[in-house]
Every structure is written in C-alpha cells, then in structure tokens.
Amino acid sequence: MGKLKLFEADAATTGKFESKDEALDESKKLQEQLYDLLYLMFAHDKHSMLVILQGIDTSGKDGVVRHLFASANPQGIRVFSFKKPSAEELRHDIFWRCHKHTPESGLAAIFNRSYYEEVTTVMVHPELLKLQRIPEMSSDLKGLFKSRYEHINAFEKMLSQRGTVVLKFFLHISKVEQKERLKARLKDRKRNWKFSEADVVERKYWDKYMDSYEKMLKFTHTKHAPWHIVPANTKWYRDYLISKITVEALAKLKMSFPKSNHQMKSIR
C-alpha cells in the first residue's frame, strides 16, 4: 500500500463516469456476470469466495451487502455481521467467531466487519483488551498488534491455499459525508433505528481510526488477500467498483462445469 494516507485519498471520486445512469448500466451488466460466475463456482465446487467489508460507521457496508446479494442465488451466498463480541467469543482467539462462518467449496460469504476490528477498533480503544483475557503481552501494544497482523496474514493465506478467493474492501468516506449520513438517519423515520449516539461519540476519534486503518491496510495487504480501497461517498460508484473487482477476481479462476456421469444421448 506504500504511504497511502486516507486523510488525503479522494473519497468522492466517481472515476471515469460523468453520470449515474452510465454507471448503473455497467453495474447491471456486471451483476449478471457475477451471477453466472457464482453459479459456475457452485457447480465447479473447488473454490469459494469470502468478501470482507470494513469501514467506519455509515460507510455503506449494509448497502454493499444488498448489492452483492442481489447478484447471487440466495442458496449460494451467506451474510454474517459481526458486532460486539459475546462473553463466550471473548474467551476464544480473534478468529474463532469468524472462522466457523468461512465459506465451504462452491459457496460465497460476506463478512460485514470481521476480525479486523481486533486491529482497528481495539487499537483506538485499547481498554477493550481487558475484556479479552490477553496474557501479559497486552502490556506491549505494539508487539500485540504486530502479532495480530501476522496471524491475520497467515489465516488468510491458509484460506487462499484451500481455494477461497479472499476479497477485502475498505469503504472510504469523508468525515463530512459521514456527518450528512448521520443527519439523514435522524431525519428519516425509516432510518431512525440505525442512528446510535455511539456513532457521534466515535467521531471524536476520527483521526485515530484513520491511523488504525492505515496500519491495517499497510500490514495486511498481501498477494493472496489484497485490500481494495473503495471511494464510497457516492454509493452508485462504490457498488460499480466492487462488482467490477469481484467479477475480475472470479473470472481469473480456471472454473468449468463438471461433466455428467450419464450418457445423455441414451436417455429418452
């Protein structure tokens, strides 16, 4: 990732598009391709796909889930949202609650947040480590997070070697855009339930979150599981870009429909 600075990255770009309609037309074609590729993956039964969505509150993770889910047969894709860990989950390693939901061969899974919270939110709020029963290593925060980055890279390499395509999307929005989205939740009765005072409180830690995200991107961007930073101020461009990246990743796989064991010509 080099010296990428999220403070300087343009979250509002719409790339090559000058109009929303143009992007929507291309997104529709990509969704059709994605549906076919996911169907082929199911039949081929040797690969799976894991999509990991990370981003600050209101960055659009739920919207991406809806977009990707609309591009697949519901029988072949699962969605898991990881919120505040339970007491049982805190007694296990950082992968335990996520690992059991990684997709089996032929299927796809979307993680709305993931074990990456353990190197972002926990970095911003190290007091959370007290709940995790971490040994004496927790006194060395720099060493702790370095170790977690290494574990994450090894975990994702293991998934990749098993045949899982790991696609990681960081949804990047500006602080101004987040404020507008929070205000919209207050104004719209249908979205009031999504508003949380905690989101407003967390805005005070914006710079610390950006710093933790930059470290996450830098130390866990690998060949087998690269990060894709998605400008997410404009929702239709966000959806287009994620569809494009996903289609391109699956198209690279050497997948084919299995041959039938039956002699079709002899069946009447």
Side-chain angles (χ1 to χ4, degrees):
M1 282 296 173
K3 296 182 179 180
L4 173 69
K5 297 293 183 181
L6 290 178
F7 299 99
E8 301 170 4
D10 184 5
T13 183
T14 56
K16 65 178 182 178
F17 298 109
E18 296 182 358
S19 70
K20 177 179 179 179
D21 290 341
E22 182 183 357
L24 292 178
D25 287 341
E26 290 205 28
S27 288
K28 184 177 180 181
K29 294 175 183 177
L30 287 167
Q31 283 184 292
E32 293 172 353
Q33 293 177 50
L34 182 55
Y35 187 97
D36 291 341
L37 284 165
L38 290 173
Y39 179 70
L40 175 58
M41 186 176 73
F42 180 80
H44 186 69
D45 199 26
K46 293 181 180 179
H47 294 281
S48 58
M49 181 179 74
L50 173 61
V51 174
I52 297 176
L53 303 176
Q54 292 291 150
I56 205 160
D57 295 318
T58 76
S59 60
K61 295 180 289 294
D62 291 341
V64 172
V65 168
R66 290 192 295 271
H67 179 74
L68 287 176
F69 204 89
S71 307
N73 186 321
Q75 291 182 310
I77 191 168
R78 302 289 184 271
V79 179
F80 302 96
S81 296
F82 298 99
K83 301 185 183 299
K84 182 179 179 180
S86 66
E88 180 185 18
E89 290 168 343
L90 287 169
R91 290 178 177 273
H92 289 270
D93 61 85
I94 63 173
F95 301 105
W96 184 76
R97 66 174 181 163
C98 298
H99 193 178
K100 57 186 176 181
H101 297 303
T102 54
E104 61 190 85
S105 296
L107 302 183
I110 304 173
F111 283 2
N112 184 339
R113 299 187 186 275
S114 66
Y115 42 83
Y116 277 102
E117 297 299 311
E118 303 297 337
V119 292
T120 55
T121 300
V122 174
M123 183 176 288
V124 175
H125 296 289
E127 64 272 14
L128 295 174
L129 290 169
K130 295 179 181 179
L131 303 175
Q132 297 182 326
R133 296 174 174 81
I134 304 297
E136 64 278 1
M137 190 179 180
S138 60
S139 61
D140 175 17
L141 291 180
K142 185 176 180 180
L144 174 64
F145 290 116
K146 180 177 182 294
S147 177
R148 287 188 172 184
Y149 294 138
E150 293 171 351
H151 290 321
I152 287 172
N153 291 339
F155 177 70
E156 292 175 347
K157 185 174 183 179
M158 180 268 292
L159 293 178
S160 177
Q161 291 175 335
R162 178 59 183 82
T164 300
V165 176
V166 183
L167 294 175
K168 303 185 297 191
F169 297 106
F170 178 77
L171 307 184
H172 178 45
I173 62 171
S174 66
K175 191 174 183 180
V176 172
E177 177 64 19
Q178 189 201 47
K179 181 179 180 180
E180 293 304 310
R181 292 183 183 185
L182 288 173
K183 288 167 61 177
R185 288 180 179 181
L186 284 172
K187 293 178 180 179
D188 187 349
R189 289 185 60 188
K190 293 181 179 180
R191 287 190 287 173
N192 283 168
W193 66 273
K194 297 186 73 175
F195 179 81
S196 170
E197 291 185 14
D199 294 340
V200 178
V201 173
E202 289 302 292
R203 274 177 62 82
K204 299 176 182 178
Y205 301 97
W206 181 274
D207 289 350
K208 289 186 177 181
Y209 271 108
M210 294 303 111
D211 181 61
S212 72
Y213 292 146
E214 285 182 5
K215 289 183 172 67
M216 172 192 78
L217 296 168
K218 177 181 178 181
F219 293 112
T220 62
H221 176 68
T222 61
K223 183 178 180 180
H224 54 267
W227 275 104
H228 301 277
I229 299 177
V230 178
N233 272 18
T234 305
K235 297 176 182 178
W236 49 262
Y237 181 66
R238 172 202 71 196
D239 293 344
Y240 157 78
L241 198 56
I242 287 177
S243 291
K244 183 175 183 293
I245 292 170
T246 306
V247 166
E248 289 176 348
L250 292 180
K252 291 179 181 178
L253 301 176
K254 296 180 180 179
M255 297 189 294
S256 60
F257 288 105
K259 294 181 179 180
S260 173
N261 294 324
H262 302 288
Q263 296 296 325
M264 294 301 184
K265 293 182 179 179
S266 65
I267 298 177
R268 296 289 185 271

